Each structure stands twice: as C-alpha cells, then as structure tokens.
Amino acid sequence: MNKESAPIGIFDSGIGGLTVLKEICKKLPHESTVYLGDTARVPYGIRSPETVTRYSFENTRFLFSKEVKMIVVACNTASSVSLDAIKNSVPVPVIGVIEPGAKAAAAVTGNKKIGVIGTEATIKSNSYARAIMRIDNSIEVFGIACPLFVPLVEEGWTKGKIAEMIAQEYLKEMKRKGIDTLVLGCTHYPLLKGILSAVMGEGINLIDSAIETAGEIETILGNLSLLNTAGDNMRREFYVTDSPEKFRTVGEKFLGEPIHHIKKIELEMEV
C-alpha cells in the first residue's frame, strides 16, 4: 500500500465521532477511513484524565496496526487531555478537534466573547479557552458542561420541547454573558444545531469542530503530499468494542447513510 492510499484512522469513545467522519467523507471523498468507537467504555467525559489517556493509547495502537497515514482524535475529551501524549507515541500526523474549533471561533468573534459547551471533562480541562487565548488573549471564553445533551442525541431527541427546555436551561448563562460565538465542544452536539441556534437567537456564530477538523485534515495531508486524489480502493471500515447493532442503529443517524461491516474487537490493554 502506498502512503497516499493508506486510510485515515479516527477514534472516539463511541458514536459522536461519526460527525467528524461525516465531514471527512464530504471534504475528502477519495480517502479511505478506519473508524474505531470504544463503545464498551463510553462515555469518556466522566473519566479521570489518566484513564482517558490510557484508553486513548489503546485506541491509537489499534489504529496504527491498520497502517493508517494519520490519526484523528474525534473526541473532545480525549483531545483535551491526551493529544500531546498521542502525538509523541506514533510517527504519523495526529490531529484533535480542539485546535480547529478554537481557530475558527477566534476568527469569527466580533465582540471577543466566546462560549464553549461540552462534557464535564472537556470544560474542566479549559482546553478550548487555552487554545483560543493562545490565538488572542483579549478574548473572553466562558465554558458550560451540558451532560444531558449526549443522551438526548443518542435517544434521537434532537427536536421538540424537551430538548428546547434543556438547552434553554444550559444556555441562559451564555446569553447573559453576551457571547456572539458558541463552540460545540462535543461531537454529539452538531445534531442539536437547530435547537441551539433557536435558543441562542440570531447573530450567534455556531462553531462545529467536525467541519473545521475536516478542513484541517485536508490542509495537513496536502502539505505532506498524502492526499489520495485518485481514490484507488477507497474503503470504509468500522470497529467497535461493544454492541455493533446499537452502533449501527444510532450511528446511521449521525453519518446520514448506511453503515456496513461493523466488526467487534477486543482492544489490547496497556500493561
């Protein structure tokens, strides 16, 4: 296999990273992909940084065994706490979802007030705030954990009164702060864009890190002359650590197309 036709490896704690895969498929339709959802240990957002880092290494080792040319950490929690360690562990480019989202948010804010919503671990890590303030330290960043959004999305409750009421409760502080830009700091949240936009009102920039990450992947692979422009033997592989059928049922809503050939695996545990 030549380097250009090697797949892009993507991992997440479960199905949320499929929003990133969806944008990769749109942006780079000729690229092969290997997706790993660590569904046996989801969610990562409630785990300690040490545990998330250990899981991330195990996911990375699996993807690297598939001869990927790049690894995408399509999980905000793992990107927040273990990205640098992963970068130092493999000889291929590694990208998370924090930096691309931070760059986009810093670029579009007009009043320099940015809100970030995500899991408890992502918000506690302050990773988005640090990334944004490295770009412009005059920007104010406000973070709020929204733990109920993930189960809402996975149950398919992305519209209607229940989702709207929960979003209003979570986001009322953001509205009081007067933010003009809201970063969706969890890969599940793009499926709630309609509700979030309605609750926040007109004039608010919603930053979808999945879209920004796909653009950054294209740039990195292009700079390294690793883009698969020919699309030879393009394939999509899916691996999970638990319940392929649940992954298929919910995952197809995220990806917007059928998912075939999901294989359940046992990850090699770190010793």
Side-chain angles (χ1 to χ4, degrees):
M1 182 191 303
N2 62 49
K3 288 184 178 180
E4 292 83 2
S5 61
I8 298 169
I10 303 136
F11 81 76
D12 181 39
S13 58
I15 59 175
L18 290 172
T19 57
V20 179
L21 176 60
K22 181 178 181 179
E23 298 303 330
I24 293 171
C25 294
K26 280 186 194 173
K27 193 84 172 172
L28 301 165
H30 298 308
E31 297 290 347
S32 294
T33 57
V34 179
Y35 184 94
L36 169 61
D38 189 11
T39 48
R41 302 186 292 196
V42 68
Y44 283 9
I46 60 171
R47 314 287 183 190
S48 70
E50 295 78 15
T51 299
V52 172
T53 298
R54 176 163 53 86
Y55 291 174
S56 297
F57 274 127
E58 291 162 7
N59 296 335
T60 298
R61 279 201 300 273
F62 173 79
L63 289 177
F64 193 64
S65 75
K66 296 296 178 182
E67 300 182 345
V68 297
K69 63 183 176 184
M70 181 180 204
I71 290 176
V72 182
V73 184
C75 171
N76 281 268
T77 302
S79 294
S80 298
V81 302
S82 58
L83 187 65
D84 288 340
I86 296 169
K87 285 181 177 179
N88 292 329
S89 72
V90 288
V92 296
V94 177
I95 183 175
V97 288
I98 305 289
E99 291 288 342
K103 281 184 192 175
V108 300
T109 182
N111 68 3
K112 297 197 175 187
K113 292 184 178 182
I114 295 174
V116 179
I117 53 176
T119 66
E120 186 176 332
T122 297
I123 299 304
K124 277 186 175 179
S125 74
N126 282 320
S127 52
Y128 273 103
R130 288 198 305 273
I132 290 167
M133 293 176 73
R134 278 197 297 270
I135 299 165
D136 183 347
N137 62 13
S138 68
I139 294 175
E140 291 184 272
V141 184
F142 309 98
I144 292 178
C146 303
L148 290 179
F149 281 168
V150 168
L152 273 179
V153 169
E154 295 199 357
E155 290 299 324
W157 293 1
T158 56
K159 298 176 182 176
K161 282 292 182 187
I162 293 175
E164 185 179 345
M165 288 170 62
I166 292 171
Q168 284 175 340
E169 183 64 27
Y170 278 145
L171 297 175
K172 63 184 180 183
E173 185 62 23
M174 291 293 189
K175 295 178 80 170
R176 280 201 290 265
K177 295 290 187 185
I179 65 165
D180 71 350
T181 302
L182 183 66
V183 178
L184 311 186
C186 173
T187 49
H188 282 68
Y189 295 1
L191 278 77
L192 291 166
K193 275 183 184 175
I195 287 284
L196 298 175
S197 181
V199 169
M200 291 304 298
E202 291 184 9
I204 300 295
N205 305 303
L206 292 186
I207 302 298
D208 182 343
S209 291
I211 294 173
E212 306 305 330
T213 300
E216 193 82 2
I217 290 166
E218 181 180 38
T219 299
I220 292 170
L221 292 179
N223 289 342
L224 295 171
S225 300
L226 287 176
L227 285 170
N228 186 16
T229 53
D232 295 335
N233 302 314
M234 195 277 285
R235 67 192 191 281
R236 304 256 179 261
E237 296 178 24
F238 295 91
Y239 298 89
V240 294
T241 53
D242 189 33
S243 187
E245 282 311 311
K246 173 71 183 293
F247 179 87
R248 188 194 312 277
T249 302
V250 181
E252 287 178 348
K253 298 174 187 175
F254 280 67
L255 200 54
E257 62 183 61
I259 297 176
H260 304 290
H261 311 301
I262 307 167
K263 185 175 180 181
K264 182 181 175 183
I265 59 157
E266 294 284 340
L267 287 172
E268 178 189 344
M269 301 303 175
E270 194 173 27
V271 292

